[in-house]
Amino acid sequence: MIIIQHSMKNSKRKKGGSTKMNYLAPSILAADFCELGKEIEIVEKAGVPYLHIDIMDGMFVPSISFGMPVFACVRKYSNLFMDVHMMVEKPERYVEELIELGADGVTIHIEACDCVEETLEKIKELGAKPGIAINPNTPVSEIIPYMELVDMVLVMTVQPGFGGQSFIVECLDKIREVRRIIDKSYPDVKLEIDGGVRLDNLEMNLEAGANVIVTGSAIFKGDIETNVKEFLKRM
């Protein structure tokens, strides 16, 4: 499987001389499903490194998005890093099949999993990058015991389950808190945000410490190529 290499033009120089790479991850939840393959091809050619896949079960969140058959088709259309976000109850039931189908990263919600440590370890053992997600109302302290097991922390900046919501500004404090923890003890862990991110709030999220930016409507509504290029230019 080909993994796209990320250029240094999408990085930010931090104080002290270290570099924090920034990544754009368009969420196909906002894509036109009648044109899904075509739109994935557009974002890949425009230079994004990740593709964000939201899997919802109608239980952990009210909505149902798509499951294994759709993901299997998406994988065939692209060599991008498949960033799978599991908004499902008991995600441990599905991680093996997802990884077999080509998930490069699998993020589970701490609020939805009864065996967090075992599931994260299983994801890693199966060859994918484990991630842990927290909802806006979940304290950061809940994920600290698992930080050494993950490749990425996902901070939800809307209530999960529906696309097109407005960014919750109060989540900036949570992003900053997670960034401080990462910088102090887990420098290789990425900090992803998901929900309501647009060009007009991108900068404050980057400044707060996010470095994997999930956005759906801001990419797939309108001219997709132009939207991607504008995001990448500002990252």
Side-chain angles (χ1 to χ4, degrees):
M1 186 178 298
I2 301 170
I3 301 298
I4 304 299
Q5 297 297 317
H6 317 304
S7 66
M8 291 298 290
K9 68 180 180 181
N10 293 331
S11 66
K12 296 291 184 181
R13 182 68 58 179
K14 295 174 66 180
K15 291 181 180 179
S18 63
T19 299
K20 174 169 67 69
M21 298 293 294
N22 295 327
Y23 308 87
L24 181 63
S27 172
I28 65 168
L29 192 63
D32 181 348
F33 273 51
C34 291
E35 301 287 344
L36 186 55
K38 178 181 177 181
E39 294 193 355
I40 290 172
E41 183 179 353
I42 292 171
V43 297
E44 182 165 3
K45 287 184 176 179
V48 304
Y50 286 14
L51 200 64
H52 190 77
I53 316 293
D54 286 309
I55 295 181
M56 306 178 188
D57 65 354
M59 296 175 64
F60 177 62
V61 294
S63 299
I64 297 174
S65 57
F66 43 79
M68 306 303 177
V70 173
F71 176 66
C73 291
V74 168
R75 176 77 274 179
K76 293 176 184 178
Y77 267 99
S78 177
N79 288 318
L80 291 175
F81 185 101
M82 292 291 162
D83 175 31
V84 178
H85 175 196
M86 299 187 71
M87 286 182 273
V88 304
E89 292 285 354
K90 300 186 184 301
E92 61 272 15
R93 295 175 292 166
Y94 306 112
V95 296
E96 185 170 356
E97 184 177 358
L98 276 169
I99 295 168
E100 287 178 353
L101 290 173
D104 298 299
V106 178
T107 296
I108 63 171
H109 271 263
I110 192 166
E111 305 91 350
C113 187
D114 295 329
C115 48
V116 175
E117 182 174 348
E118 294 87 345
T119 303
L120 293 172
E121 289 176 343
K122 184 175 182 180
I123 293 168
K124 187 172 183 178
E125 288 169 4
L126 292 171
K129 302 290 187 182
I132 194 161
I134 52 173
N135 288 340
N137 296 328
T138 301
V140 171
S141 59
E142 294 289 321
I143 65 169
I144 290 177
Y146 309 107
M147 290 292 292
E148 64 182 14
L149 301 174
V150 302
D151 182 75
M152 184 160 65
V153 173
L154 167 56
V155 175
M156 293 298 300
T157 47
V158 298
Q159 297 298 335
F162 298 98
Q165 298 181 66
S166 297
F167 179 84
I168 300 174
V169 176
E170 290 78 9
C171 290
L172 286 169
D173 288 337
K174 180 169 290 186
I175 296 168
R176 295 186 186 102
E177 184 179 356
V178 175
R179 171 50 60 191
R180 286 193 293 270
I181 294 168
I182 289 173
D183 286 348
K184 181 179 180 180
S185 303
Y186 309 97
D188 294 328
V189 172
K190 299 178 182 66
L191 174 46
E192 183 173 55
I193 58 168
D194 182 3
V197 181
R198 305 184 305 270
L199 285 171
D200 62 4
N201 60 31
L202 175 62
E203 183 176 359
M204 67 182 185
N205 280 293
L206 293 172
E207 289 179 350
N211 69 320
V212 181
I213 306 298
V214 176
T215 182
S217 299
I219 295 295
F220 288 106
K221 305 306 180 186
D223 188 303
I224 297 172
E225 182 178 6
T226 298
N227 293 340
V228 168
K229 291 183 177 179
E230 190 62 33
F231 264 89
L232 292 177
K233 183 171 68 175
R234 300 189 187 193
M235 292 174 68

